[in-house]
């Protein structure tokens, strides 16, 4: 006899519905009443699980963080190629697209919620440290030539572009006929292009091939 699938709990459904509405409309435009109405439950039922919208946003951020943090594992002491950077960025942008509302309204959400801002700040610092480790690995493999100061600047610029790419890309596509869809490959290329002046040999040739695909 097939095992019966466990019904989703109301708390899980609130998070799933909140994520869908936040991604579609933007978190500032969605209320807890909107989420309850979309689910067909009473506001009181929702408030039994979450006291306010900020709690829903933070729980969704925690889900996002749990998926991103494994990508920030220590990569020191290993020679790396540009492929490693490409895969890392691709996976990162896939997670960012899943929770894109966090980046669409990044400044507003973090300025209104100190706890969320602190967690995001720590996440960005871990991301920048990972980029530095990736650069050091590529330098050890002879794929990249840059000073420590240049690598530090690259790491900050990479996280800056990554963090604001979802918002920029959404605005960039306003007015286009095609519906907006996330493109992790294009986003990854926009970041990896920052490394172009520092890539050498086969690594530079690899970036040129990527450019032919995405430009």
């Amino acid at each position: 006899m097939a095992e019966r699938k466990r019904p989703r709990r109301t708390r899980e459904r609130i998070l799933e519905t909140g994520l869908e509405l936040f991604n579609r409309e933007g978190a500032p435009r969605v209320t807890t009443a909107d989420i309850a109405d979309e689910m067909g439950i009473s506001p009181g039922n929702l408030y039994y699980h979450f006291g306010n919208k900020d709690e829903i946003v933070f729980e969704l951020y925690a889900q996002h963080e749990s998926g991103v943090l494994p990508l920030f594992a220590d990569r020191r002491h290993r020679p790396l190629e540009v492929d490693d950077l490409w895969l890392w960025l691709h996976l990162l942008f896939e997670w960012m697209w899943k929770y894109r509302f966090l980046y669409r309204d990044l400044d507003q959400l973090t300025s209104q919620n100190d706890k969320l801002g602190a967690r995001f700040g720590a996440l960005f610092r871990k991301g920048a440290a990972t980029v530095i480790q990736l650069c050091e690995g590529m330098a050890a493999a002879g794929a990249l030539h840059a000073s420590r100061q240049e690598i530090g600047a690259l790491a900050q610029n990479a996280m800056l572009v990554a963090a604001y790419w979802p918002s920029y890309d959404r605005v960039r596509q306003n007015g286009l006929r095609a519906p907006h869809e996330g493109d992790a490959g294009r986003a990854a290329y926009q970041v990896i292009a920052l490394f172009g002046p520092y890539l050498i040999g086969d690594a530079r040739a690899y970036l040129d091939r990527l450019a032919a695909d995405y430009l």
Side-chain angles (χ1 to χ4, degrees), residues 45-72:
N45 195 349
L46 184 148
Y47 287 129
Y48 175 80
H49 299 278
F50 296 97
N52 52 51
K53 186 174 73 174
D54 280 351
E55 290 184 10
I56 299 174
V57 169
F58 190 82
E59 184 70 20
L60 290 171
Y61 168 80
Q63 290 181 3
H64 172 61
E65 184 182 77
S66 69
V68 169
L69 282 178
L71 300 176
F72 294 165

Side-chain angles (χ1 to χ4, degrees), residues 131-202:
V131 175
I132 290 173
Q133 292 167 10
L134 285 163
C135 287
E136 290 173 345
M138 288 190 293
L144 178 142
H145 179 72
S147 67
R148 290 185 63 183
Q149 183 177 359
E150 289 168 334
I151 288 175
L154 269 175
Q156 295 298 328
N157 289 338
M159 293 308 298
L160 174 64
V161 174
Y164 288 98
W165 172 259
S167 182
Y168 167 78
D169 193 41
R170 178 180 60 86
V171 175
R172 181 181 69 88
Q173 295 204 54
N174 278 347
L176 299 180
R177 292 184 179 180
H180 177 264
E181 296 180 358
D183 186 344
R186 176 60 188 263
Y189 171 76
Q190 293 299 140
V191 175
I192 209 171
L194 297 171
F195 296 77
Y198 306 99
L199 296 177
I200 54 180
D202 292 341

Side-chain angles (χ1 to χ4, degrees), residues 73-85:
D74 195 328
R75 287 171 165 79
R76 286 174 292 190
H77 313 303
R78 285 191 294 152
L80 299 169
E81 299 291 343
V82 70
D83 258 345
D84 295 287
L85 176 61

